[in-house]
């Protein structure tokens, strides 16, 4: 119940609140000053990292990563986990794309950007996919010794991906926030749908011999 309330319902409510203002083409007063501050305080190293994440988090590389995950789990005889990956990651991509088409928010035009992005801005697709991937991997590792390393590294990756979108000036902060929330909610929603079918395979084997 806690997972449903905090991991699914609350994120969806927050996305809905933001989306309502986006649909009405209202401006968030803090966004332009925040983006300007980020732009003024970004050094060459962070810019280079942001450009790398822009490429790595694009549709082709992430599509390949998703397929490798699904196929890898499938051929490892972890069929429920493979279906979970397909449902969770696929729904995050599909919902983010549908929201972009529906809201059709223009991208920020505050400075000359280093990358060419012409599609709608809300929500951030890169951020949605990063949050979905990290949430999936954390759930997959939750009952193993890799739980905390996966959570820490994954959270850092998702946070940096979102921040990089603002560094490059291709997304508003609310695009990034909506992306994080959407990715998490989609994967947790898929986990709730899959239910107990995945749990036996996610628990590491326990040696019962003395």
């Amino acid at each position: 119940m806690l997972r449903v309330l905090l991991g699914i319902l609350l994120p969806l409510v927050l996305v809905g609140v933001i989306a309502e203002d986006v649909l009405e083409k209202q401006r968030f007063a803090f966004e332009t000053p925040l983006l300007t501050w980020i732009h003024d305080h970004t050094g060459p190293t962070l810019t280079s990292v942001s450009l790398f994440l822009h490429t790595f988090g694009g549709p082709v590389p992430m599509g390949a990563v998703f397929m490798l995950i699904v196929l890898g789990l499938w051929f490892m005889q972890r069929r429920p986990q493979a279906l979970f990956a397909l449902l969770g990651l696929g729904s995050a991509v599909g919902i983010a794309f549908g929201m972009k088409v529906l809201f059709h928010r223009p991208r920020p035009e505050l400075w000359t950007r280093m990358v060419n992005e012409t599609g709608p801005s809300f929500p951030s697709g890169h951020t949605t996919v990063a949050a979905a991937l990290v949430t999936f991997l954390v759930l997959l590792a939750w009952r193993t010794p890799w739980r905390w390393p996966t959570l820490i590294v994954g959270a850092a990756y998702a946070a940096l991906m979102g921040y990089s979108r603002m560094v490059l000036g291709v997304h508003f902060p609310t695009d990034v926030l909506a992306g994080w929330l959407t990715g998490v909610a989609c994967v947790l929603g898929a986990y709730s749908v899959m239910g107990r079918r995945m749990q036996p395979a996610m628990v590491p084997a326990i040696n019962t011999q003395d």
Side-chain angles (χ1 to χ4, degrees), residues 1-204:
M1 182 62 69
L2 189 64
R3 181 181 70 243
V4 172
L5 290 176
L6 298 182
I8 302 174
L9 294 181
L10 181 59
L12 291 179
V13 169
L14 294 175
V15 171
V17 171
I18 298 171
E20 182 181 7
D21 290 340
V22 171
L23 190 61
E24 295 175 355
K25 302 188 183 304
Q26 295 185 17
R27 293 282 184 146
F28 297 87
F30 71 92
E31 292 197 295
T32 297
L34 178 57
L35 285 175
T36 302
W37 184 90
I38 291 173
H39 180 66
D40 292 340
H41 292 81
T42 296
T45 301
L46 185 54
T47 299
S48 299
V49 171
S50 298
L51 289 171
F52 168 77
L53 291 175
H54 171 75
T55 301
F56 178 72
V60 174
M62 281 296 101
V65 169
F66 284 10
M67 291 306 301
L68 285 174
I69 289 174
V70 172
L71 294 175
L73 290 171
W74 186 269
F75 288 112
M76 289 169 61
Q77 303 302 315
R78 301 183 70 179
R79 305 293 171 81
Q81 286 77 16
L83 293 176
F84 169 47
L86 194 61
L87 179 59
L89 301 177
S91 64
V93 173
I95 289 175
F97 178 78
M99 291 172 67
K100 284 179 176 290
V101 173
L102 176 62
F103 296 101
H104 206 73
R105 186 186 198 183
R107 292 183 183 268
E109 296 291 346
L110 301 179
W111 59 80
T112 302
R113 297 197 296 260
M114 301 178 66
V115 296
N116 183 30
E117 289 280 15
T118 58
S121 184
F122 181 84
S124 166
H126 280 66
T127 307
T128 302
V129 168
L133 179 60
V134 168
T135 305
F136 168 78
L137 293 176
V138 169
L139 288 173
L140 205 64
W142 192 250
R143 298 177 184 273
T144 75
W146 292 98
R147 170 172 55 184
W148 293 113
T150 303
L151 178 61
I152 293 169
V153 174
Y157 167 71
L160 188 57
M161 179 64 79
Y163 193 77
S164 73
R165 306 311 285 161
M166 295 184 286
V167 166
L168 297 176
V170 294
H171 281 291
F172 293 102
T174 47
D175 299 335
V176 171
L177 177 58
W180 281 327
L181 295 172
T182 300
V184 171
C186 286
V187 175
L188 288 179
Y191 184 77
S192 297
V193 170
M194 295 295 297
R196 298 182 179 274
R197 284 180 289 176
M198 295 184 303
Q199 291 185 8
M202 294 175 73
V203 179

